[in-house]
Amino acid sequence: MARQGFNAAQTGWSRVIAASAIFGMTVIVSMPAEAQSRRANTTTMSCGQVQSFIAQRGAAVMSTGQHTFDRYVEHRGFCQHNEFAKVDYVPTKDVGRCAVRRCVSVTPKRFTR
């Protein structure tokens, strides 16, 4: 009889562990969507706030619209070795074209004869 009680307790703990595992997986799967919804959006910030946001972090991935985003940098030091920091413009709540920098790949020039 004691053996049956042990099995019942073990089955109860198995259910708790299984439920915890399912809950944990649900949290992990939903994290990217949660992180995406918290991404800084240039259209809700002033141009000065966007530039300050990037300067404080050195580099930041920011939304520029409902389905668009990019990585913006303070200077070339935040780019890969084969990239340079090119001036680009993003929409903000106070101006339509706020100057920022983003990394762009260096493309070798083709020589023609």
Side-chain angles (χ1 to χ4, degrees), residues 27-51:
V27 169
I28 290 170
V29 169
S30 66
M31 285 176 80
E34 175 70 19
Q36 183 178 358
S37 67
R38 291 185 293 166
R39 182 183 299 133
N41 189 331
T42 65
T43 62
T44 64
M45 304 166 78
S46 70
C47 184
Q49 288 173 321
V50 168
Q51 292 169 340

PDB file of all heavy atoms in Angstrom, residues 27-51:
ATOM      1  N   VAL A  27       6.836  30.953 -22.350  1.00  0.00           N
ATOM      2  CA  VAL A  27       7.495  32.233 -22.049  1.00  0.00           C
ATOM      3  C   VAL A  27       8.646  32.468 -23.016  1.00  0.00           C
ATOM      4  O   VAL A  27       8.790  33.557 -23.576  1.00  0.00           O
ATOM      5  CB  VAL A  27       7.986  32.257 -20.586  1.00  0.00           C
ATOM      6  CG1 VAL A  27       8.898  33.443 -20.343  1.00  0.00           C
ATOM      7  CG2 VAL A  27       6.801  32.284 -19.640  1.00  0.00           C
ATOM      8  N   ILE A  28       9.464  31.457 -23.255  1.00  0.00           N
ATOM      9  CA  ILE A  28      10.616  31.596 -24.144  1.00  0.00           C
ATOM     10  C   ILE A  28      10.165  31.886 -25.575  1.00  0.00           C
ATOM     11  O   ILE A  28      10.720  32.753 -26.243  1.00  0.00           O
ATOM     12  CB  ILE A  28      11.501  30.333 -24.090  1.00  0.00           C
ATOM     13  CG1 ILE A  28      12.197  30.264 -22.733  1.00  0.00           C
ATOM     14  CG2 ILE A  28      12.514  30.317 -25.219  1.00  0.00           C
ATOM     15  CD1 ILE A  28      12.899  28.963 -22.460  1.00  0.00           C
ATOM     16  N   VAL A  29       9.151  31.197 -26.054  1.00  0.00           N
ATOM     17  CA  VAL A  29       8.655  31.404 -27.414  1.00  0.00           C
ATOM     18  C   VAL A  29       8.069  32.800 -27.578  1.00  0.00           C
ATOM     19  O   VAL A  29       8.211  33.433 -28.615  1.00  0.00           O
ATOM     20  CB  VAL A  29       7.617  30.316 -27.790  1.00  0.00           C
ATOM     21  CG1 VAL A  29       6.901  30.650 -29.070  1.00  0.00           C
ATOM     22  CG2 VAL A  29       8.303  28.969 -27.897  1.00  0.00           C
ATOM     23  N   SER A  30       7.433  33.321 -26.556  1.00  0.00           N
ATOM     24  CA  SER A  30       6.803  34.636 -26.669  1.00  0.00           C
ATOM     25  C   SER A  30       7.786  35.782 -26.452  1.00  0.00           C
ATOM     26  O   SER A  30       7.455  36.923 -26.728  1.00  0.00           O
ATOM     27  CB  SER A  30       5.646  34.757 -25.676  1.00  0.00           C
ATOM     28  OG  SER A  30       6.133  34.737 -24.352  1.00  0.00           O
ATOM     29  N   MET A  31       8.999  35.524 -26.004  1.00  0.00           N
ATOM     30  CA  MET A  31       9.954  36.593 -25.730  1.00  0.00           C
ATOM     31  C   MET A  31      10.327  37.420 -26.957  1.00  0.00           C
ATOM     32  O   MET A  31      10.361  38.634 -26.861  1.00  0.00           O
ATOM     33  CB  MET A  31      11.207  36.036 -25.059  1.00  0.00           C
ATOM     34  CG  MET A  31      10.987  35.687 -23.605  1.00  0.00           C
ATOM     35  SD  MET A  31      12.407  34.929 -22.864  1.00  0.00           S
ATOM     36  CE  MET A  31      13.397  36.360 -22.539  1.00  0.00           C
ATOM     37  N   PRO A  32      10.610  36.840 -28.119  1.00  0.00           N
ATOM     38  CA  PRO A  32      10.965  37.691 -29.256  1.00  0.00           C
ATOM     39  C   PRO A  32       9.868  38.697 -29.618  1.00  0.00           C
ATOM     40  O   PRO A  32      10.156  39.841 -29.912  1.00  0.00           O
ATOM     41  CB  PRO A  32      11.194  36.688 -30.389  1.00  0.00           C
ATOM     42  CG  PRO A  32      11.577  35.426 -29.701  1.00  0.00           C
ATOM     43  CD  PRO A  32      10.773  35.430 -28.420  1.00  0.00           C
ATOM     44  N   ALA A  33       8.628  38.299 -29.574  1.00  0.00           N
ATOM     45  CA  ALA A  33       7.540  39.224 -29.879  1.00  0.00           C
ATOM     46  C   ALA A  33       7.480  40.338 -28.840  1.00  0.00           C
ATOM     47  O   ALA A  33       7.275  41.499 -29.165  1.00  0.00           O
ATOM     48  CB  ALA A  33       6.212  38.474 -29.935  1.00  0.00           C
ATOM     49  N   GLU A  34       7.684  39.992 -27.582  1.00  0.00           N
ATOM     50  CA  GLU A  34       7.687  40.995 -26.514  1.00  0.00           C
ATOM     51  C   GLU A  34       8.846  41.964 -26.700  1.00  0.00           C
ATOM     52  O   GLU A  34       8.682  43.171 -26.591  1.00  0.00           O
ATOM     53  CB  GLU A  34       7.795  40.300 -25.146  1.00  0.00           C
ATOM     54  CG  GLU A  34       7.928  41.237 -23.973  1.00  0.00           C
ATOM     55  CD  GLU A  34       6.653  42.010 -23.696  1.00  0.00           C
ATOM     56  OE1 GLU A  34       5.581  41.586 -24.145  1.00  0.00           O
ATOM     57  OE2 GLU A  34       6.744  43.053 -23.020  1.00  0.00           O
ATOM     58  N   ALA A  35      10.013  41.445 -27.024  1.00  0.00           N
ATOM     59  CA  ALA A  35      11.185  42.310 -27.225  1.00  0.00           C
ATOM     60  C   ALA A  35      10.980  43.225 -28.427  1.00  0.00           C
ATOM     61  O   ALA A  35      11.358  44.389 -28.400  1.00  0.00           O
ATOM     62  CB  ALA A  35      12.439  41.458 -27.414  1.00  0.00           C
ATOM     63  N   GLN A  36      10.369  42.703 -29.474  1.00  0.00           N
ATOM     64  CA  GLN A  36      10.136  43.506 -30.667  1.00  0.00           C
ATOM     65  C   GLN A  36       9.174  44.645 -30.371  1.00  0.00           C
ATOM     66  O   GLN A  36       9.346  45.751 -30.861  1.00  0.00           O
ATOM     67  CB  GLN A  36       9.588  42.637 -31.790  1.00  0.00           C
ATOM     68  CG  GLN A  36       9.390  43.397 -33.084  1.00  0.00           C
ATOM     69  CD  GLN A  36       8.895  42.501 -34.193  1.00  0.00           C
ATOM     70  OE1 GLN A  36       8.727  41.315 -34.017  1.00  0.00           O
ATOM     71  NE2 GLN A  36       8.657  43.071 -35.341  1.00  0.00           N
ATOM     72  N   SER A  37       8.166  44.402 -29.575  1.00  0.00           N
ATOM     73  CA  SER A  37       7.185  45.449 -29.299  1.00  0.00           C
ATOM     74  C   SER A  37       7.789  46.552 -28.427  1.00  0.00           C
ATOM     75  O   SER A  37       7.263  47.650 -28.389  1.00  0.00           O
ATOM     76  CB  SER A  37       5.950  44.853 -28.632  1.00  0.00           C
ATOM     77  OG  SER A  37       6.278  44.369 -27.346  1.00  0.00           O
ATOM     78  N   ARG A  38       8.901  46.275 -27.744  1.00  0.00           N
ATOM     79  CA  ARG A  38       9.537  47.278 -26.897  1.00  0.00           C
ATOM     80  C   ARG A  38      10.685  47.999 -27.599  1.00  0.00           C
ATOM     81  O   ARG A  38      11.364  48.792 -26.995  1.00  0.00           O
ATOM     82  CB  ARG A  38      10.041  46.636 -25.607  1.00  0.00           C
ATOM     83  CG  ARG A  38       8.905  46.192 -24.698  1.00  0.00           C
ATOM     84  CD  ARG A  38       9.413  45.690 -23.400  1.00  0.00           C
ATOM     85  NE  ARG A  38      10.147  44.454 -23.635  1.00  0.00           N
ATOM     86  CZ  ARG A  38      10.939  43.880 -22.756  1.00  0.00           C
ATOM     87  NH1 ARG A  38      11.131  44.415 -21.593  1.00  0.00           N
ATOM     88  NH2 ARG A  38      11.559  42.759 -23.044  1.00  0.00           N
ATOM     89  N   ARG A  39      10.934  47.733 -28.865  1.00  0.00           N
ATOM     90  CA  ARG A  39      12.009  48.390 -29.608  1.00  0.00           C
ATOM     91  C   ARG A  39      11.701  49.884 -29.727  1.00  0.00           C
ATOM     92  O   ARG A  39      10.566  50.267 -29.964  1.00  0.00           O
ATOM     93  CB  ARG A  39      12.129  47.763 -30.995  1.00  0.00           C
ATOM     94  CG  ARG A  39      13.253  48.343 -31.826  1.00  0.00           C
ATOM     95  CD  ARG A  39      13.310  47.751 -33.216  1.00  0.00           C
ATOM     96  NE  ARG A  39      13.534  46.322 -33.173  1.00  0.00           N
ATOM     97  CZ  ARG A  39      12.842  45.449 -33.881  1.00  0.00           C
ATOM     98  NH1 ARG A  39      11.876  45.822 -34.686  1.00  0.00           N
ATOM     99  NH2 ARG A  39      13.104  44.177 -33.793  1.00  0.00           N
ATOM    100  N   ALA A  40      12.705  50.723 -29.558  1.00  0.00           N
ATOM    101  CA  ALA A  40      12.518  52.168 -29.679  1.00  0.00           C
ATOM    102  C   ALA A  40      12.030  52.499 -31.082  1.00  0.00           C
ATOM    103  O   ALA A  40      12.497  51.933 -32.069  1.00  0.00           O
ATOM    104  CB  ALA A  40      13.828  52.884 -29.395  1.00  0.00           C
ATOM    105  N   ASN A  41      11.079  53.418 -31.162  1.00  0.00           N
ATOM    106  CA  ASN A  41      10.485  53.792 -32.432  1.00  0.00           C
ATOM    107  C   ASN A  41      10.802  55.262 -32.708  1.00  0.00           C
ATOM    108  O   ASN A  41      10.440  56.138 -31.917  1.00  0.00           O
ATOM    109  CB  ASN A  41       8.971  53.567 -32.384  1.00  0.00           C
ATOM    110  CG  ASN A  41       8.321  53.737 -33.734  1.00  0.00           C
ATOM    111  OD1 ASN A  41       8.788  54.487 -34.586  1.00  0.00           O
ATOM    112  ND2 ASN A  41       7.221  53.028 -33.931  1.00  0.00           N
ATOM    113  N   THR A  42      11.460  55.540 -33.811  1.00  0.00           N
ATOM    114  CA  THR A  42      11.874  56.908 -34.129  1.00  0.00           C
ATOM    115  C   THR A  42      10.678  57.835 -34.321  1.00  0.00           C
ATOM    116  O   THR A  42      10.784  59.028 -34.058  1.00  0.00           O
ATOM    117  CB  THR A  42      12.748  56.955 -35.396  1.00  0.00           C
ATOM    118  OG1 THR A  42      11.981  56.543 -36.531  1.00  0.00           O
ATOM    119  CG2 THR A  42      13.981  56.076 -35.251  1.00  0.00           C
ATOM    120  N   THR A  43       9.554  57.304 -34.756  1.00  0.00           N
ATOM    121  CA  THR A  43       8.394  58.156 -35.035  1.00  0.00           C
ATOM    122  C   THR A  43       7.716  58.672 -33.772  1.00  0.00           C
ATOM    123  O   THR A  43       6.874  59.567 -33.849  1.00  0.00           O
ATOM    124  CB  THR A  43       7.357  57.429 -35.918  1.00  0.00           C
ATOM    125  OG1 THR A  43       6.879  56.278 -35.213  1.00  0.00           O
ATOM    126  CG2 THR A  43       7.957  57.015 -37.241  1.00  0.00           C
ATOM    127  N   THR A  44       8.061  58.115 -32.613  1.00  0.00           N
ATOM    128  CA  THR A  44       7.489  58.580 -31.346  1.00  0.00           C
ATOM    129  C   THR A  44       8.467  59.458 -30.575  1.00  0.00           C
ATOM    130  O   THR A  44       8.184  59.859 -29.450  1.00  0.00           O
ATOM    131  CB  THR A  44       7.058  57.394 -30.467  1.00  0.00           C
ATOM    132  OG1 THR A  44       8.214  56.633 -30.124  1.00  0.00           O
ATOM    133  CG2 THR A  44       6.032  56.521 -31.175  1.00  0.00           C
ATOM    134  N   MET A  45       9.631  59.725 -31.169  1.00  0.00           N
ATOM    135  CA  MET A  45      10.679  60.499 -30.510  1.00  0.00           C
ATOM    136  C   MET A  45      11.014  61.736 -31.348  1.00  0.00           C
ATOM    137  O   MET A  45      10.798  61.741 -32.556  1.00  0.00           O
ATOM    138  CB  MET A  45      11.939  59.632 -30.346  1.00  0.00           C
ATOM    139  CG  MET A  45      11.711  58.338 -29.592  1.00  0.00           C
ATOM    140  SD  MET A  45      13.082  57.160 -29.766  1.00  0.00           S
ATOM    141  CE  MET A  45      14.255  57.843 -28.637  1.00  0.00           C
ATOM    142  N   SER A  46      11.577  62.757 -30.688  1.00  0.00           N
ATOM    143  CA  SER A  46      12.075  63.917 -31.439  1.00  0.00           C
ATOM    144  C   SER A  46      13.414  63.543 -32.065  1.00  0.00           C
ATOM    145  O   SER A  46      14.046  62.557 -31.671  1.00  0.00           O
ATOM    146  CB  SER A  46      12.246  65.119 -30.518  1.00  0.00           C
ATOM    147  OG  SER A  46      13.339  64.909 -29.635  1.00  0.00           O
ATOM    148  N   CYS A  47      13.860  64.336 -33.014  1.00  0.00           N
ATOM    149  CA  CYS A  47      15.141  64.070 -33.666  1.00  0.00           C
ATOM    150  C   CYS A  47      16.268  64.068 -32.634  1.00  0.00           C
ATOM    151  O   CYS A  47      17.124  63.189 -32.641  1.00  0.00           O
ATOM    152  CB  CYS A  47      15.396  65.117 -34.758  1.00  0.00           C
ATOM    153  SG  CYS A  47      16.903  64.813 -35.700  1.00  0.00           S
ATOM    154  N   GLY A  48      16.249  65.044 -31.731  1.00  0.00           N
ATOM    155  CA  GLY A  48      17.272  65.107 -30.694  1.00  0.00           C
ATOM    156  C   GLY A  48      17.262  63.887 -29.791  1.00  0.00           C
ATOM    157  O   GLY A  48      18.320  63.390 -29.390  1.00  0.00           O
ATOM    158  N   GLN A  49      16.075  63.373 -29.465  1.00  0.00           N
ATOM    159  CA  GLN A  49      15.975  62.171 -28.633  1.00  0.00           C
ATOM    160  C   GLN A  49      16.542  60.957 -29.356  1.00  0.00           C
ATOM    161  O   GLN A  49      17.227  60.131 -28.750  1.00  0.00           O
ATOM    162  CB  GLN A  49      14.517  61.912 -28.253  1.00  0.00           C
ATOM    163  CG  GLN A  49      13.962  62.884 -27.240  1.00  0.00           C
ATOM    164  CD  GLN A  49      12.468  62.685 -27.021  1.00  0.00           C
ATOM    165  OE1 GLN A  49      11.704  62.420 -27.960  1.00  0.00           O
ATOM    166  NE2 GLN A  49      12.040  62.836 -25.778  1.00  0.00           N
ATOM    167  N   VAL A  50      16.271  60.835 -30.646  1.00  0.00           N
ATOM    168  CA  VAL A  50      16.796  59.712 -31.431  1.00  0.00           C
ATOM    169  C   VAL A  50      18.323  59.767 -31.449  1.00  0.00           C
ATOM    170  O   VAL A  50      18.998  58.773 -31.185  1.00  0.00           O
ATOM    171  CB  VAL A  50      16.232  59.721 -32.871  1.00  0.00           C
ATOM    172  CG1 VAL A  50      16.978  58.741 -33.763  1.00  0.00           C
ATOM    173  CG2 VAL A  50      14.752  59.387 -32.864  1.00  0.00           C
ATOM    174  N   GLN A  51      18.878  60.934 -31.743  1.00  0.00           N
ATOM    175  CA  GLN A  51      20.333  61.075 -31.811  1.00  0.00           C
ATOM    176  C   GLN A  51      20.966  60.817 -30.443  1.00  0.00           C
ATOM    177  O   GLN A  51      22.010  60.178 -30.347  1.00  0.00           O
ATOM    178  CB  GLN A  51      20.692  62.450 -32.357  1.00  0.00           C
ATOM    179  CG  GLN A  51      20.310  62.591 -33.822  1.00  0.00           C
ATOM    180  CD  GLN A  51      20.407  64.012 -34.343  1.00  0.00           C
ATOM    181  OE1 GLN A  51      20.397  64.984 -33.582  1.00  0.00           O
ATOM    182  NE2 GLN A  51      20.486  64.151 -35.664  1.00  0.00           N
TER     183      GLN A  51
END
